[in-house]
Amino acid sequence: MSGEKILIVEDERAVARGLEYGLTAEGFSVLWARTGNEALALTRNEAPHLIVLDIRLPDISGFDVCRTLRSEGKRQPILMLTARDEEVDKILGLELGADDYLVKPYSLRELVSRIRALLRRTYGDLAMPTADARRLAFGAVEVDLERMLVTRRGQITELTPIEFRLLRHLVSQPARPASREQLIEAIWGYDSDLGNDRTVDVHMRHLRQKLEDDPSDPRWLVTVRGVGYKFEP
Ligand code: CA
């Protein structure tokens, strides 16, 4: 896997240049946006595989960029860069649709390893099972694993990339419980700061709200006491 298009959104020229140099040397093809609005335009026009998004930008914030892209149905993995602890809390608010984050200062090596992990998780495991295993239905929900499309009562249900990966992992092993640790590994890999028991529970709650008829008494995405969760077909 190489040559993926990475969009760097960073207003500081020197930082952006350094990233561009480092990522190009790793075999990526790099786009650069200096502002949030440029980032939105480049994402719409160039469809990068992944976005490295600084939070502090001169026009709109990285948070706004992230939220806008997700509301437009853009599903590229987004890795947020932050300089401040209080921004981490906001990223962890989880409503933004960011897939991972790094706190400055970070090393290029760490950034590259996060990028590779996100790309692998997003695109690598799409080459999934056999044709008939790529679509499934439960209750009023239909899941098309290949097109990353979920509908409920015929209406498209917007899932964040993380919610989608969580769902995909659970439905790919029906009736088999997955521990929170296994889910963290499947969704973020071990090296992410985002994956912990609490974040798994929060994403699970969101997923139930979107897919279950009665989210407080789930029929399909059930809790396995003392273990974690499972998909009950
Ligand atoms: Ca900045």
Side-chain angles (χ1 to χ4, degrees):
M1 199 166 71
S2 74
E4 288 93 345
K5 224 188 273 183
I6 310 290
L7 171 61
I8 296 170
V9 189
E10 167 65 76
D11 56 316
E12 285 162 67
R13 176 179 293 267
V15 177
R17 285 261 182 253
L19 290 179
E20 186 175 12
Y21 181 82
L23 293 179
T24 305
E26 291 288 329
F28 296 110
S29 144
V30 177
L31 301 165
W32 173 34
R34 261 159 299 190
T35 67
N37 282 312
E38 254 181 65
L40 294 176
L42 272 173
T43 305
R44 289 169 191 142
N45 296 331
E46 302 281 338
H49 293 93
L50 180 143
I51 302 164
V52 177
L53 179 59
D54 188 28
I55 289 173
R56 314 209 127 211
L57 298 167
D59 52 352
I60 56 175
S61 76
F63 294 123
D64 295 327
V65 173
C66 191
R67 210 178 282 116
T68 303
L69 290 176
R70 293 304 184 227
S71 76
E72 290 177 1
K74 301 279 188 294
R75 294 175 180 284
Q76 287 100 333
I78 296 177
L79 197 162
M80 299 199 95
L81 301 178
T82 174
R84 306 193 319 170
D85 285 347
E86 51 273 37
E87 289 172 340
V88 170
D89 292 340
K90 205 164 166 191
I91 298 171
L92 289 171
L94 299 171
E95 299 293 344
L96 291 162
D99 296 270
D100 203 353
Y101 71 91
L102 274 176
V103 178
K104 297 174 180 179
Y106 53 85
S107 69
L108 181 66
R109 205 169 133 213
E110 190 172 13
L111 178 69
V112 168
S113 103
R114 298 290 182 95
I115 287 176
R116 289 203 192 287
L118 277 174
L119 288 172
R120 200 169 50 238
R121 255 167 258 136
T122 309
Y123 303 104
D125 50 8
L126 281 184
M128 275 235 335
T130 51
D132 51 335
R134 289 182 193 137
R135 298 178 74 104
L136 81 150
F138 56 92
V141 176
E142 283 183 46
V143 185
D144 184 332
L145 291 171
E146 196 171 34
R147 293 164 62 210
M148 295 176 73
L149 193 68
V150 178
T151 58
R152 183 159 182 262
R153 301 191 206 297
Q155 306 273 5
I156 291 179
T157 303
E158 289 295 343
L159 300 188
T160 66
I162 286 172
E163 287 162 2
F164 187 85
R165 287 202 287 275
L166 180 57
L167 178 66
R168 184 171 60 194
H169 186 84
L170 290 170
V171 301
S172 70
Q173 47 168 53
R176 224 165 71 213
S179 69
R180 288 179 179 78
E181 260 169 34
Q182 287 167 338
L183 292 171
I184 289 167
E185 193 195 352
I187 296 164
W188 293 281
Y190 280 125
D191 60 351
S192 172
D193 298 326
L194 278 184
N196 59 48
D197 287 4
R198 189 181 70 85
T199 53
V200 170
D201 293 342
V202 171
H203 288 297
M204 198 63 196
R205 194 168 70 234
H206 293 163
L207 204 50
R208 284 170 168 167
Q209 279 158 1
K210 291 177 179 179
L211 301 181
E212 291 279 355
D213 294 331
D214 180 0
S216 62
D217 182 21
R219 157 69 184 83
W220 318 100
L221 304 169
V222 302
T223 302
V224 183
R225 207 172 288 277
V227 182
Y229 298 100
K230 71 174 174 180
F231 168 62
E232 188 58 63

